[in-house]
Amino acid sequence: MLLQLENLPAQGGEYDVVVIGAGGAGLAAALFAGLAGQKVLLVEHTEYVGGTTALSGGTTWIPGTLHSARVNPQDTLAEAARYLDNAIGERADPALRQAFLQAGPAVVAALEAATEVKFRPYPKHPDYISDLPGSTLNGRALEPLPFDGRLLGKLFAVLRPPIPEFTVLGGMMVDRTDINHLLKLKSSLPSFRHSLKLLLRHASDRLSYPRGTRLVMGNALVGRLLYSLSKLGKVQLALRTQASDIQHDEGGVHGLTLRQGKASRSIKVNQGVILASGGFNRDPEQRARLLPGIEMDWCPGAPGHTGQAQQLARGLGAKLAEGSLSPAFWAPVSLRRRADGSQAVFPHFMLDRAKPGMLTVNAKGARFVNESTSYHLFGLAMQEANRSTPSIPAYLICDAAALRQYGMGMVRPGGKGLEPFLADGYLSAGNTLAELAGKLGMDPATLEDSVARNNRYAASGVDSDFHRGETAYQQNMGDPSRGQPNPNIGPLAEAPYYAVRLYPGDIGAATGLQTDTQARVLGRDGQPIAGLYAVGNDMHSIMGGVYTAPGITIGPALVFASIAATHASQRNTRALTRDTVTQ
Ligand SMILES: Cc1cc2nc3c(=O)[nH]c(=O)nc-3n(C[C@H](O)[C@H](O)[C@H](O)COP(=O)(O)OP(=O)(O)OC[C@H]3O[C@@H](n4cnc5c(N)ncnc54)[C@H](O)[C@@H]3O)c2cc1C
């Protein structure tokens, strides 16, 4: 499956479909093209397969599947469409979300029937704007089934490892279910059994592998896609390889020049090139234009998104779309230097900031955001607030009880082992709020007032400043076990008090190449560039920069990968006239 370019004849090779970028979207596009009988080359310029998808939660939002029918039989595609219309409006072309909704169920069914990609529904994972008509509490968000990485054989070594800080005990992956069991290890027999099984498997893995082989979340999705590709046998994978040129004439895209180390080859492409390079996030020029003031070091995504493939497309007349709520999707992140000198970027998705006993304040010590809102809106709120009062970094504050129960960022629950985090400044601590405020350079009276108001809201259950905990989505991120009237608000009452600095981190591109409903890249004249497709974060988000629900980048990535691969496979390349837009 792995291709060394120098093994192709000097005059080059010939493929039906070439996919650029081997993350979730690219692997899926290659898989669907292979299933359609095409000869496929998958080109990846890093040493790993998986991109940000391998680092991700792997949550996949696709309404209307059989899984959805099992946990939420009342839900319909019409309701999902109503929700998206309400949430997105004119920020993105409604025809694109219709195409996604219509194709989604069949795409999941095809993957599950013909490949090793399998999902299960989350029992509860609400849409993020859960007070909008059409939203649901469950059924639309799917989770990839855990995967046994040992099945990959030698290919396990090319699967991008997860974010180290998301693993425990030297590379053991854990998902939400595992975390819940591990936290109850001492108090529940089923949790003890589950945890023991995990630990024994991990101990046995570490005798032969550099990390755990029980893969969950995004790593499981990528593992399953890669395994399916390897079993299909029709797809070649060129790692550390980049396209330096796309050849194109009035009949469309028909060739590429590829470079791998010192080797360079011309490739004839019969049906199409699918761009799946993950977006612009590490392209300094586009970042400066689209994300001014946001440092690249705050991005928790994989390192490969140089934007180089999009530059090639722009050379053919493609353009980035406009009109989104935001050019990127966001999460608050905290930063820490690892022992090897690299920087850990930890996204605060759901384990801490929305929980009772946690508060977020700006540099003055005042609250500015509903801590339990979605990570996307939280990231946007930081940037908005920063225009009037320094809020980058913002400070996530908690008391000793909350730290013990939930941990904070890279600090694990339990309240032990804090010294290294205090020593390198990741964590700040004070025996009083005034002492903590002094260490953070903020006004002690403002911080004390923010905490006092929070503690009153904890007692009443009503946050009259930011309406924390008022929606089903927010409540799902809270913790009812603390017995507070509002599961998202608890008092900060037990010293010492702690703080971690938060920055807005871009977790993926929302602005991408403009496409039509077949994922064909459109030129400046609004017509498709024949034979050129964009999927995943290379494609302008159909959500218009609104984070509507869990899994809204990977869901559309898989669905449009199928749409693009199918269209490319069936394209009549004898017609020399340009394809016209079909809606
Ligand atoms: C920690 C984290 C958790 C997340 N969790 C979720 C989640 O649960 N659900 C969800 O929907 N979204 C989630 N996201 C966002 C999501 O992971 C990404 O939006 C999505 O994975 C992007 O998929 P992709 O295939 O477009 O890009 P990627 O998976 O990043 O793949 C792109 C690939 O293309 C390669 N590439 C780039 N340029 C070139 C080039 N010129 N030539 C060849 N190869 C190239 C890259 O190296 C990379 O391997 C999360 C993000 C983060 C950071």
Side-chain angles (χ1 to χ4, degrees):
M1 184 177 174
L2 290 178
L3 174 73
Q4 294 304 319
L5 221 47
E6 61 192 16
N7 293 338
L8 288 180
Q11 67 273 24
E14 179 171 347
Y15 293 88
D16 298 320
V17 173
V18 177
V19 181
I20 297 188
L27 287 160
L31 185 56
F32 280 111
L35 288 169
Q38 304 291 294
K39 186 179 174 200
V40 184
L41 177 61
L42 177 56
V43 176
E44 165 59 48
H45 83 142
T46 71
E47 68 275 38
Y48 287 120
V49 157
T52 302
T53 312
L55 309 180
S56 77
T59 304
T60 302
W61 195 80
I62 302 182
T65 64
L66 283 176
H67 299 291
S68 168
R70 266 180 227 123
V71 292
N72 186 355
Q74 290 81 29
D75 195 24
T76 61
L77 286 179
E79 275 299 278
R82 188 156 83 103
Y83 173 61
L84 293 183
D85 287 347
N86 282 325
I88 304 165
E90 295 301 312
R91 291 195 182 99
D93 182 356
L96 286 161
R97 51 186 185 260
Q98 275 305 329
F100 161 68
L101 290 173
Q102 289 309 318
V107 169
V108 172
L111 277 174
E112 296 196 310
T115 80
E116 295 300 324
V117 179
K118 316 275 180 204
F119 296 97
R120 63 186 173 203
Y122 287 96
K124 191 171 183 193
H125 211 341
D127 293 334
Y128 285 179
I129 319 175
S130 58
D131 46 349
L132 279 187
S135 67
T136 55
L137 299 182
N138 61 358
R140 298 173 184 168
L142 310 178
E143 178 186 23
L145 286 187
F147 179 65
D148 186 347
R150 293 174 299 195
L151 293 172
L152 286 169
K154 287 191 175 149
L155 286 175
F156 183 62
V158 304
L159 170 55
R160 183 173 289 285
I163 296 176
E165 290 71 25
F166 278 11
T167 68
V168 292
L169 302 172
M172 181 170 101
M173 292 199 77
V174 283
D175 59 19
R176 279 191 204 201
T177 314
D178 301 330
I179 292 172
N180 285 337
H181 281 304
L182 285 165
L183 290 176
K184 288 191 287 185
L185 168 72
K186 291 185 190 155
S187 58
S188 141
L189 189 58
S191 291
F192 175 76
R193 284 208 194 97
H194 183 96
S195 307
L196 185 66
K197 217 167 130 193
L198 289 184
L199 295 170
L200 290 175
R201 161 76 184 267
H202 186 60
S204 124
D205 275 351
R206 290 308 309 272
L207 297 174
S208 327
Y209 295 91
R211 65 179 175 107
T213 61
R214 177 182 170 273
L215 309 183
V216 295
M217 304 190 293
N219 233 251
L221 178 62
V222 170
R224 286 181 171 278
L225 285 163
L226 184 59
Y227 182 54
S228 304
L229 276 178
S230 71
K231 279 179 65 178
L232 192 64
K234 285 206 168 92
V235 178
Q236 288 186 307
L237 169 63
L239 293 173
R240 300 175 195 266
T241 304
Q242 191 158 294
S244 56
D245 184 38
I246 299 187
Q247 286 96 46
H248 170 261
D249 61 19
E250 69 277 17
V253 167
H254 58 82
L256 290 168
T257 308
L258 295 181
R259 290 189 198 286
Q260 187 186 54
K262 289 187 179 144
S264 171
R265 291 290 186 277
S266 296
I267 303 292
K268 185 169 182 293
V269 183
N270 296 325
Q271 296 297 126
V273 170
I274 302 177
L275 303 177
S277 74
F280 70 85
N281 297 60
R282 294 192 191 271
D283 177 340
E285 204 179 301
Q286 293 302 329
R287 262 194 99 80
R289 193 172 72 80
L290 295 166
L291 311 180
I294 306 296
E295 291 184 20
M296 202 187 295
D297 276 1
W298 305 343
C299 170
H305 308 134
T306 58
Q308 185 265 349
Q310 289 195 355
Q311 283 165 27
L312 291 181
R314 288 207 299 278
L316 300 183
K319 59 170 188 166
L320 293 180
E322 289 170 0
S324 288
L325 171 71
S326 166
F329 293 115
W330 300 98
V333 300
S334 54
L335 312 171
R336 187 171 187 236
R337 196 61 54 200
R338 297 187 181 113
D340 66 2
S342 62
Q343 174 150 280
V345 184
F346 188 96
H348 294 244
F349 286 131
M350 37 107 34
L351 295 176
D352 51 23
R353 68 184 162 80
K355 300 279 192 276
M358 299 266 171
L359 209 62
T360 303
V361 297
N362 61 22
K364 289 192 169 159
R367 278 180 82 207
F368 63 92
V369 65
N370 174 344
E371 289 84 352
S372 307
T373 194
S374 75
Y375 35 88
H376 181 55
L377 292 180
F378 195 113
L380 286 174
M382 290 175 79
Q383 295 169 68
E384 181 57 36
N386 195 52
R387 287 186 232 284
S388 49
T389 307
S391 306
I392 302 176
Y395 299 88
L396 181 60
I397 311 270
C398 74
D399 73 348
L403 188 86
R404 262 197 318 275
Q405 192 155 1
Y406 310 114
M408 190 152 66
M410 299 182 220
V411 177
R412 298 265 152 78
K416 302 223 170 67
L418 304 185
E419 292 72 22
F421 295 96
L422 291 165
D424 67 14
Y426 176 76
L427 193 65
S428 306
N431 285 320
T432 60
L433 287 167
E435 189 190 340
L436 181 64
K439 286 189 182 168
L440 302 176
M442 61 181 60
D443 174 30
T446 309
L447 182 63
E448 282 168 347
D449 180 58
S450 298
V451 171
R453 286 174 83 86
N454 169 80
N455 293 358
R456 286 200 298 278
Y457 298 157
S460 68
V462 180
D463 168 9
S464 42
D465 292 328
F466 294 98
H467 306 283
R468 187 172 179 182
E470 288 186 4
T471 69
Y473 164 73
Q474 293 171 30
Q475 288 157 10
N476 192 48
M477 302 242 295
D479 181 2
S481 76
R482 274 191 141 198
Q484 301 291 329
N486 182 323
N488 297 95
I489 314 179
L492 278 72
E494 183 186 328
Y497 301 94
Y498 297 97
V500 161
R501 286 168 179 75
L502 298 179
Y503 300 82
D506 43 308
I507 62 169
T511 287
L513 298 169
Q514 189 148 26
T515 65
D516 69 0
T517 54
Q518 303 295 326
R520 294 180 296 183
V521 175
L522 301 182
R524 285 191 198 92
D525 56 1
Q527 293 297 308
I529 299 168
L532 189 65
Y533 302 81
V535 297
N537 289 359
D538 272 349
M539 174 185 193
H540 187 63
S541 167
I542 64 164
M543 302 293 167
V546 183
Y547 219 110
T548 51
I552 53 85
T553 70
I554 294 178
L558 299 185
V559 172
F560 281 102
S562 164
I563 290 174
T566 307
H567 192 275
S569 307
Q570 293 170 357
R571 200 163 75 88
N572 178 2
T573 49
R574 280 171 301 176
L576 278 183
T577 51
R578 298 176 104 196
D579 302 355
T580 51
V581 189
T582 53
Q583 296 292 341

